[in-house]
Amino acid sequence: KNEVEQSPQNLTAQEGEFITINCSYSVGISALHWLQQHPGGGIVSLFMLSSGKKKHGRLIATINIQEKHSSLHITASHPRDSAVYICAVKDTDKLIFGTGTRLQVFP
Amino acid sequence: KAGVTQTPRYLIKTRGQQVTLSCSPISGHRSVSWYQQTPGQGLQFLFEYFSETQRNKGNFPGRFSGRQFSNSRSEMNVSTLELGDSALYLCASSFLGTANTGELFFGEGSRLTVL
C-alpha cells in the first residue's frame, strides 16, 4: 500500500462544476503540499498545509491531521484548470508523493 | 524575481554515459532539492542540499550524486546511465528547505532520454 493515496486517479468535469480531489496518507507528517503539473512538466506549488484550511482564488485546501486526510477543492472549474494535481507529504526529512489526479475540464 | 532555472531542458544520452544537470534556485533560497519523475514510479525524492551540505537522500543508487555551490546553484550527476534513468528530473528551491516545510518553487525540469 502506498504511503500517500490520491483519489480519483482521473476526473472529467464540465466547466463550472465543483471539483474535489482527495489525499490520504499513512505516515506522520509535518506538512502537506498540493502541486499542479501541466503538460510539459512544470510544477507549481498551490498550497502548503499543516492544519486547517487555506483558500487562494477558486482553490481551497483542507487537512484533517487526526484522520490523515486532505482535500483540494476547485470551485467554478475552468478548462485552464486541466492538469495533474499531486499531493505530497513531508515525512521527517523527505517528501513522499501521491500518484496524482489527472483533471480534464471541458467547456 | 527570476524563477528556478534548470539546464539543459532536454538531452539524449546512451547507456553507460554520464550526465550532469544544473539547477539555479531563486535568489536568496539556500535549499535545492531534486526529484525524478517517471511514468511508472511517479515523483520520487532524490536528495536535498542546504548551504552546500547534503541534508537528505532518497532511496537511489550511488550512481546518483549531487552537490551545491556557494551561490546555492546545484548540480546532479548520474553516472553509468541505464535505460531506466530516462525521466524528467525536477529541482525545487526553498528558503527554509523541506526539513523546515518551506514552500517549494519548481523548475521546468530536464528531460533525459537514455538510448
Side-chain angles (χ1 to χ4, degrees), chain A residues 37 43 45 48 90 93 95, chain B residues 37 43 56 98-99 101 104 106:
Chain A
Q37 186 171 32
I43 292 179
S45 175
M48 184 181 63
K90 186 193 148 328
D93 55 4
L95 280 181
Chain B
Q37 187 177 34
L43 270 164
N56 302 300
T98 56
T101 68
L104 297 172
F106 285 84

Side-chain angles (χ1 to χ4, degrees), chain A residues 7 9 18 20-21 36-37 50-52 61 64 70 77 80 83 88 92 94 97 100 103:
Chain A
S7 63
Q9 284 190 308
F18 181 84
T20 296
I21 299 171
Q36 180 193 56
Q37 186 171 32
S50 55
S51 64
N64 185 318
S70 176
S77 59
R80 65 174 174 265
T92 55
K94 66 182 185 297
F97 296 88
L103 171 65

Side-chain angles (χ1 to χ4, degrees), chain B:
Chain B
K1 202 174 189 180
V4 178
T5 303
Q6 289 190 245
T7 57
R9 292 290 314 279
Y10 303 91
L11 67 167
I12 299 173
K13 294 284 187 178
T14 57
R15 278 181 298 174
Q17 287 187 310
Q18 66 95 28
V19 66
T20 299
L21 308 177
S22 177
C23 175
S24 293
I26 290 172
S27 178
H29 286 190
R30 293 190 293 166
S31 167
V32 174
S33 49
W34 288 91
Y35 305 88
Q36 182 196 64
Q37 187 177 34
T38 60
Q41 298 295 321
L43 270 164
Q44 295 182 281
F45 169 75
L46 277 160
F47 28 65
E48 180 196 3
Y49 288 87
F50 187 89
S51 294
E52 302 180 65
T53 302
Q54 186 181 88
R55 197 150 68 168
N56 302 300
K57 191 176 194 306
N59 190 23
F60 279 82
R63 300 185 297 107
F64 292 80
S65 63
R67 58 179 174 169
Q68 187 179 33
F69 302 96
S70 59
N71 62 357
S72 293
R73 188 179 71 87
S74 178
E75 289 181 346
M76 68 162 283
N77 184 79
V78 187
S79 62
T80 320
L81 284 165
E82 301 176 0
L83 295 178
D85 298 331
S86 295
L88 179 67
Y89 291 88
L90 291 150
C91 80
S93 81
S94 170
F95 180 70
L96 292 178
T98 56
N100 292 310
T101 68
E103 184 180 0
L104 297 172
F105 296 85
F106 285 84
E108 292 292 313
S110 293
R111 189 169 293 279
L112 169 65
T113 300
V114 182
L115 302 177

